[in-house]
Amino acid sequence: MDIEDCIVQIKEVFDGEPWYGTSILKVLENIPVEFWNQKAGKMSHSIAELVYHIIDWRSFVVEKLKNNTVYSIELNSEKDWRKQVSIVSQDQKKVIIKELNKTQELILEELDQKSDSWLNEFVLGKDYSNQYMINGLVQHDIYHLGQINMLYNMLK
């Protein structure tokens, strides 16, 4: 895998045509705002909470791409899962999608400046490689996209 492969995968999952179905952006744009705060069954998060969680972990990747050694997210903390998230209007939905889009722009800008050898280096302040982090970003996006789709299908 090289940087270009990473960029292609990130783009495909985000707003392209992934082999498994619909991209994150297309899914979110098609879910009516009235479903964004609802929870179903034993699911502990709403669509809005899941989207903010995706944004926050993408922001983690941006910070690491910018060589921020100290930035971190503690699992199950407020940085990991925001509390009292509420998306109730179309304007608020547009704002959160714009914020998600911004993370995509920043990730792609930063990755575009990296060499292929950078993938084998360790993430600053962490004990795993940059390639592992980038693969994790793609997996994380897909995993939570699946949750979002499942939640929406349970609610509608």
Side-chain angles (χ1 to χ4, degrees), residues 60 63-64 66-74 79 123-126:
F60 168 87
E63 291 301 316
K64 294 305 173 183
K66 290 182 174 184
N67 298 320
N68 185 336
T69 57
V70 295
Y71 189 85
S72 191
I73 296 178
E74 183 182 328
K79 275 184 159 180
V123 174
L124 295 173
K126 299 294 179 184

Side-chain angles (χ1 to χ4, degrees), residues 5-149:
D5 292 331
C6 293
I7 289 170
V8 167
Q9 282 187 23
I10 291 167
K11 284 181 176 180
E12 191 171 276
V13 169
F14 190 78
D15 62 359
E17 294 183 15
W19 67 271
Y20 56 80
T22 310
S23 68
I24 291 172
L25 201 56
K26 289 176 187 167
V27 165
L28 294 176
E29 288 171 345
N30 289 320
I31 296 176
V33 72
E34 61 262 22
F35 294 100
W36 279 58
N37 288 326
Q38 296 182 37
K39 296 178 184 177
K42 295 188 178 202
M43 293 189 74
S44 56
H45 297 291
S46 67
I47 291 168
E49 290 169 333
L50 288 163
V51 174
Y52 273 119
H53 176 76
I54 292 168
I55 288 169
D56 292 336
W57 279 100
R58 289 173 137 260
S59 296
F60 168 87
V61 171
V62 169
E63 291 301 316
K64 294 305 173 183
L65 286 166
K66 290 182 174 184
N67 298 320
N68 185 336
T69 57
V70 295
Y71 189 85
S72 191
I73 296 178
E74 183 182 328
L75 295 179
N76 300 312
S77 69
E78 179 75 23
K79 275 184 159 180
D80 187 18
W81 291 104
R82 296 184 193 190
K83 295 182 193 240
Q84 300 180 6
V85 170
S86 181
I87 303 295
V88 295
S89 71
Q90 193 62 32
D91 286 342
Q92 289 175 320
K93 179 182 166 183
K94 286 178 185 176
V95 167
I96 192 174
I97 289 175
K98 185 176 180 180
E99 192 175 340
L100 183 62
N101 270 307
K102 185 64 176 172
T103 66
Q104 181 74 353
E105 290 171 22
L106 292 170
I107 289 167
L108 296 178
E109 284 173 17
E110 292 295 326
L111 271 180
D112 198 43
Q113 299 173 34
K114 303 294 183 189
S115 66
D116 291 341
S117 63
W118 172 86
L119 289 168
N120 297 317
E121 297 171 14
F122 276 79
V123 174
L124 295 173
K126 299 294 179 184
D127 63 352
Y128 46 83
S129 72
N130 289 307
Q131 183 169 342
Y132 183 81
M133 176 181 68
I134 297 302
N135 286 337
L137 170 71
V138 172
Q139 293 167 0
H140 189 257
D141 283 354
I142 294 169
Y143 173 76
H144 289 300
L145 175 60
Q147 288 181 313
I148 289 166
N149 278 317

